[in-house]
């Protein structure tokens, strides 16, 4: 997809949420299996942040960031 902008949804380690909170939020919002969500939580914990997914549409990415934030996660939008 050359020339298409990618809007990344990034989850940051905030030292407040537990692995379980991250796993539940990612499972609820994206439907990832518990095992994949746990792997994701591990990456966030050890790297400080991790890309959860990306969208061509800024609006879709913003909606997901907002949903994750409502669930208590520190999520941001990157790209453009």
């Amino acid at each position: 997809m050359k020339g298409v902008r990618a809007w990344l949804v990034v989850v940051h380690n905030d030292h407040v949420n537990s692995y379980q909170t991250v796993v539940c939020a990612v499972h609820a919002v994206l439907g990832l299996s518990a095992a994949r969500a746990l792997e994701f939580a591990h990456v966030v914990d050890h790297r400080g942040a991790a890309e959860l997914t990306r969208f061509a549409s800024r609006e879709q990415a913003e909606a997901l960031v907002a949903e994750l934030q409502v669930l208590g996660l520190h999520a941001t939008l990157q790209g453009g």
Side-chain angles (χ1 to χ4, degrees):
M1 293 180 132
K2 198 172 187 179
V4 175
R5 291 181 170 171
W7 298 95
L8 284 60
V9 175
V10 177
V11 176
H12 302 268
N13 186 358
D14 59 13
H15 303 290
V16 173
N17 289 301
S18 66
Y19 269 47
Q20 189 63 33
T21 302
V22 175
V23 169
C24 288
V26 170
H27 172 72
V29 173
L30 290 180
L32 289 183
S33 69
R36 293 219 33 220
L38 185 59
E39 288 174 18
F40 177 75
H42 180 78
V43 172
V44 170
D45 184 45
H46 289 280
R47 292 189 185 164
E51 177 188 330
L52 179 58
T53 191
R54 59 181 61 203
F55 294 93
S57 162
R58 180 181 180 138
E59 291 76 21
Q60 287 179 307
E62 286 175 339
L64 180 57
V65 167
E67 213 172 337
L68 293 168
Q69 289 174 343
V70 165
L71 294 173
L73 299 187
H74 178 186
T76 59
L77 175 68
Q78 295 179 5

